[in-house]
């Protein structure tokens, strides 16, 4: 029987599946089901170029509409999969239709975690995940002057930066002791905090919210006036569909090194997939373009019977003001770090070691270091401290 | 709308008309020109949108910013004097007719 691949979700993972299948010469049927009604678009620019007004809706599309026609992809926009019938190999969509598959790929991403007080969702807060969210935020940004942002993670801080650049009064409220604490070491948090403060953003750390009203936010430490409240406080993997179908879920959909779920012909990739990551040394979920794209390729290769286990080095980036931070590897658990360039300048990289092995590199405005580090970490090569510190030394020579 | 001709590494040519302000990368990716990956979606963060620009048009391009130059250094294929990152070059009327070649790998 010929293969028919159905993909749920047209984000970074879903689109890469489609592209890779056709690039690899797959000529079977492909159905791409997307709950959003817009032509599939990329999410990272939403909190960057799009809300800055530098990138249009057109510019952030993955593909022109003709791509789907030319490549014979059945793109079903504005339709949500509501049920997976595992043993029948069918999905049921919101339009009431039943679609059969030989292979199913869950690329459903994640949903924003909502702020909850005493069991009820806090009102008046906007969250950013979709183009529609971004359009609403764009309008509200126009008409607001005092903007409070709950959460000092990547999305919250990118929003803070672009609001500050629009001349708004911005306050960031973070419960932890420093910015982006979950993934970045103190040296980098400090550089970002200073840059935000320099741009007029007020940063409240160790801050605890007590109440939210139409006028603003009451924290233990004081009142913060706000006519617009945005929050970026993490995500919840979109795995309920899988869970209801009896597929094993735990912090997302659990997959093996080929992206297969507990049902061998159903795969999960991207933000929703809980996988064993060799670079983390444990099971994790990653929320990044890299992870969605690379896992899509792994799933496709497995479907096409040319299996290759997932082993891609994680990387990620964030843009705030003139600061471009690129991260590769997973730095958690490092026991030593070496600097290339000077802290306090806007251009340096931090090389993290664990048991003398290079495990991660964060590069601030040093793109060449980042690209080189991806190769070093993939190859398992650790340059010496002297080589790293010597700006005249070309680290590509280590490869 | 300026027209760009993309020549894939296998020799296949695609002619694409782009709206003003679109980038060379966007034109390629959205119209299914093979060989441009553009993992980062145009943030100048991945160097997988590397292209070779026809010599004739080189002088008409916007100057390369430092970050593009740095990123380009890390591209996978051979870097030539006419190498650019497709996401950093926006089309304008004077680039009408430009020919862009795609390298063998990204
Ligand atoms: C504002 C913002 C900024 C970001 N910035 C960066 C960045 O700078 N760098 C980076 O690497 N990553 C960034 N990310 C993360 C990155 O966008 C995600 O990791 C990536 O999109 C994950 O891809 P995915 O395919 O797993 O899911 P998504 O791209 O989220 O796509 C999932 C899609 O599935 C659809 N869907 C879900 N359930 C169903 C259903 N039942 N039926 C039909 N469709 C369904 C959803 O509507 C959604 O469109 C950012 C994310 C956001 C929101
Ligand atoms: S698209 Fe990533 S650098 Fe151009």
């Amino acid at each position: 029987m010929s293969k028919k691949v159905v993909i749920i979700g047209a984000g970074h993972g879903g689109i890469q599946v489609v592209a890779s299948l056709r690039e690899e010469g797959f000529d079977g049927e492909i159905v791409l089901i997307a709950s959003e009604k817009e032509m599939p678009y990329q999410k990272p620019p939403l909190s960057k170029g799009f809300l800055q007004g530098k990138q249009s809706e057109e510019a952030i599309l993955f593909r022109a509409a003709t791509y789907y026609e030319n490549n014979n992809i059945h793109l079903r926009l504005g339709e949500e999969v509501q049920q997976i019938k595992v043993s029948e190999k069918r999905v049921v969509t919101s339009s009431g239709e039943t679609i059969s598959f030989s292979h199913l790929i869950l690329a459903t991403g994640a949903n924003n975690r909502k702020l909850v007080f005493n069991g009820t969702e806090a009102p008046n807060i906007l969250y950013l995940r979709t183009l529609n969210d971004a359009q609403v935020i764009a309008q509200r940004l126009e008409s607001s002057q005092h903007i409070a942002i709950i959460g000092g993670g990547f999305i919250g801080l990118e929003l803070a930066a672009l609001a500050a650049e629009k001349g708004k009064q911005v306050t960031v409220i973070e419960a932890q002791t420093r910015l982006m604490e979950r993934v970045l070491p103190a040296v980098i948090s400090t550089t970002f905090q200073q840059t935000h403060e320099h741009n007029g953003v007020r940063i409240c750390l160790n801050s605890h919210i007590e109440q939210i009203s139409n006028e603003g936010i009451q924290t233990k430490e004081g009142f913060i006036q706000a006519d617009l409240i945005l929050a970026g406080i993490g995500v919840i993997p979109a795995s309920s569909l899988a869970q209801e179908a009896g597929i094993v879920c735990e912090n997302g959909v659990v997959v093996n090194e080929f992206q297969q779920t507990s049902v061998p012909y159903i795969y999960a990739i991207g933000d929703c997939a809980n996988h064993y990551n060799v670079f983390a040394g444990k099971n994790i979920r990653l929320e990044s373009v890299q992870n969605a794209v690379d896992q899509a390729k792994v799933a496709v290769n497995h479907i096409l019977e040319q299996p290759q286990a997932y082993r891609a080095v994680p990387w990620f980036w964030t843009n705030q003001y003139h600061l471009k931070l690129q991260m590769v590897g997973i730095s958690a658990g490092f026991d030593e770090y070496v600097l290339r360039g000077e802290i306090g300048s806007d251009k340096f990289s931090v090389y993290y070691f664990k048991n003398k092995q290079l495990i991660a590199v964060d590069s601030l405005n040093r793109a060449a270091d980042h690209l080189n580090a991806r190769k070093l970490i993939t190859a398992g090569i650790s340059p010496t401290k002297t080589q790293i510190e010597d700006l005249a030394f070309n680290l590509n020579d280590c490869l | 709308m300026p027209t760009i001709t993309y020549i894939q590494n296998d020799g296949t040519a695609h002619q694409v008309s782009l709206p003003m302000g679109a980038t060379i990368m966007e034109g390629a990716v959205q119209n299914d020109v093979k060989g441009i990956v553009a993992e980062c979606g145009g943030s100048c963060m991945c160097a997988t949108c590397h292209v070779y620009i026809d010599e004739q048009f080189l002088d008409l391009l916007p100057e390369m910013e430092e970050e593009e130059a740095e990123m380009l250094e890390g591209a996978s294929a051979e870097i030539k004097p006419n190498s650019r990152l497709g996401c950093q070059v926006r089309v304008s009327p004077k680039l009408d007719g430009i020919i862009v070649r795609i390298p063998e790998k990204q």
Side-chain angles (χ1 to χ4, degrees), chain B residues 16-37:
Chain B
V16 175
S17 291
L18 289 189
M20 219 63 86
T23 67
I24 287 184
M25 176 279 283
E26 287 160 19
V29 170
Q30 296 186 6
N31 294 287
D32 203 18
V33 175
K34 304 273 187 291
I36 291 196
V37 180

Side-chain angles (χ1 to χ4, degrees), chain A residues 376-396:
Chain A
L376 289 175
I377 295 173
T378 303
I381 295 170
S382 305
T384 65
K385 185 165 190 272
T386 327
Q387 287 170 333
I388 293 169
E389 286 174 341
D390 179 4
L391 286 175
F393 180 78
N394 184 348
L395 287 166
N396 282 321

Side-chain angles (χ1 to χ4, degrees), chain A residues 188 191-196 318-326 345-347 363-365, chain B residues 45:
Chain A
I188 297 189
T191 304
F192 276 86
Q193 180 167 348
Q194 286 166 350
T195 307
H196 276 283
T318 179
N319 299 350
Q320 296 165 36
Y321 312 102
H322 65 293
L323 301 179
K324 288 201 158 199
L325 179 69
Q326 294 166 286
S345 75
D346 287 341
K347 238 171 149 2
S363 307
L364 191 64
N365 295 335
Chain B
M45 288 281 163

